[in-house]
């Protein structure tokens, strides 16, 4: 009974708070960074150019288009697959879409359960690869703090607990509530951490693109 009440709380008020903090936090951070740049580097905005911005974004979003990504083909492939699945699997998971339908009366197309199960394992494998890489490559390890490892594990946690709950490994009610709780903690932390690159990546790539392209005629990919 306690697990049922906790579940109702987590998919009710707690979920709304997490979504509001996630969306509002990202909006506030974007607005603050934009205002800061207008205040401290106003002339830089004179060089804004959508053409260079989009070229930069496209060359860094799609795999192996930039020189840097081609120098690390395996890592680039893992990063690309991870980000696609990290966003796509939760959105198109059948169980999540049933909740969307129940809450809002609409849902997205759903992945077959078996395929979603395998794609979840791919996400977990990618995260393990990132962790091993950070631990074994000195040039990456020196830049990694304990907080960075925490963020990586936090990004993994909803997938790991969701997979365990789906396969009923351990107490199902506890694992399901843990899955929802960790996903909500993740949503709350994203806007205020490096995980904010979920959105800020596009801003930074666009600004670097037209900074180098418009002012110097140089590519940054």
């Amino acid at each position: 009974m306690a697990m049922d009440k906790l579940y109702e709380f987590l998919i009710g008020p707690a979920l709304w708070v997490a979504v509001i903090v996630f969306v509002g936090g990202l909006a506030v951070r974007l607005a603050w960074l934009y205002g800061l740049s207008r205040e401290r580097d106003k002339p830089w905005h004179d060089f804004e150019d959508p053409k260079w911005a989009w070229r930069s974004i496209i060359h860094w979003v799609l795999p192996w288009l930039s020189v840097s990504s081609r120098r690390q083909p395996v890592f680039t492939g893992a990063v690309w697959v991870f980000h696609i699945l990290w966003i796509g699997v939760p959105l198109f998971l059948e169980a999540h879409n049933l909740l969307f339908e129940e809450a809002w009366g609409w849902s997205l197309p759903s992945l077959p359960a078996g395929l979603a199960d395998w794609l979840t394992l791919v996400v977990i494998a990618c995260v393990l690869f990132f962790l091993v890489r950070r631990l074994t490559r000195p040039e990456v390890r020196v830049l990694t703090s304990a907080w960075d490892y925490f963020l990586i594990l936090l990004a993994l946690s909803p997938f790991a607990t969701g997979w365990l709950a789906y396969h009923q490994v351990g107490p199902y009610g506890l694992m399901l509530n843990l899955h929802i709780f960790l996903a909500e903690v993740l949503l709350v932390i994203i806007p205020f951490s490096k995980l904010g690159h979920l959105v800020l990546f596009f801003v930074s790539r666009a600004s670097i693109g037209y900074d180098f392209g418009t002012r110097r005629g140089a590519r940054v990919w």
Side-chain angles (χ1 to χ4, degrees):
M1 183 62 74
M3 284 295 168
D4 291 341
K5 289 185 178 179
L6 180 58
Y7 174 78
E8 290 176 3
F9 172 75
L10 288 173
I11 65 168
L15 178 58
W16 278 110
V17 170
V19 171
I20 290 171
V21 172
F22 172 70
V23 175
L26 282 175
V28 169
R29 190 171 178 189
L30 276 172
W32 178 74
L33 288 173
Y34 182 75
L36 193 65
S37 71
R38 296 290 300 188
E39 175 187 332
R40 298 188 180 180
D41 200 7
K42 192 175 180 180
W44 176 74
H45 287 273
D46 296 336
F47 297 95
E48 290 177 354
D49 185 332
K51 181 186 72 175
W52 281 102
W54 280 111
R55 289 181 71 187
S56 175
I57 290 172
I58 290 170
H59 279 83
W60 283 97
V61 164
L62 298 179
W64 306 298
L65 289 186
S66 68
V67 173
S68 177
S69 65
R70 287 197 294 272
R71 286 175 179 167
Q72 303 183 78
V74 175
F75 175 66
T76 298
V79 168
W80 194 75
V81 168
F82 169 77
H83 283 86
I84 293 292
L85 297 183
W86 192 84
I87 295 171
V89 171
L91 283 178
F92 297 103
L93 194 69
E94 185 177 12
H96 291 177
N97 276 298
L98 289 174
L99 292 175
F100 295 160
E101 184 69 38
E102 183 179 334
W104 301 310
W106 60 268
S107 61
L108 298 169
S110 297
L111 292 167
L115 177 60
D117 193 35
W118 278 105
L119 294 179
T120 299
L121 291 177
V122 173
V123 172
I124 294 172
C126 286
V127 173
L128 294 177
F129 170 71
F130 298 148
L131 284 172
V132 170
R133 179 176 178 274
R134 283 183 177 268
L135 289 168
T136 57
R137 295 192 61 166
E139 73 274 21
V140 184
R141 186 173 65 236
V142 74
L143 298 174
T144 308
S145 65
W147 177 245
D148 294 325
Y149 286 115
F150 170 78
L151 291 178
I152 293 172
L153 293 174
L154 181 62
L156 168 67
S157 61
F159 288 86
T161 51
W163 190 89
L164 292 173
Y166 176 72
H167 291 277
Q168 301 194 15
V169 178
Y172 175 74
L174 173 63
M175 207 57 68
L176 179 62
N177 284 333
L178 197 57
H179 165 68
I180 300 169
F181 172 73
L182 290 169
E184 290 171 353
V185 171
L186 180 62
L187 285 176
V188 169
I189 287 182
I190 282 175
F192 312 105
S193 68
K194 291 180 181 178
L195 296 177
H197 77 270
L198 181 74
V199 172
L200 298 178
F201 164 84
F202 298 95
V203 178
S204 62
R205 277 299 155 199
S207 59
I208 293 172
Y210 63 70
D211 183 29
F212 277 76
T214 311
R215 298 173 68 173
R216 311 170 196 181
R219 298 180 304 173
V220 290
W221 52 86

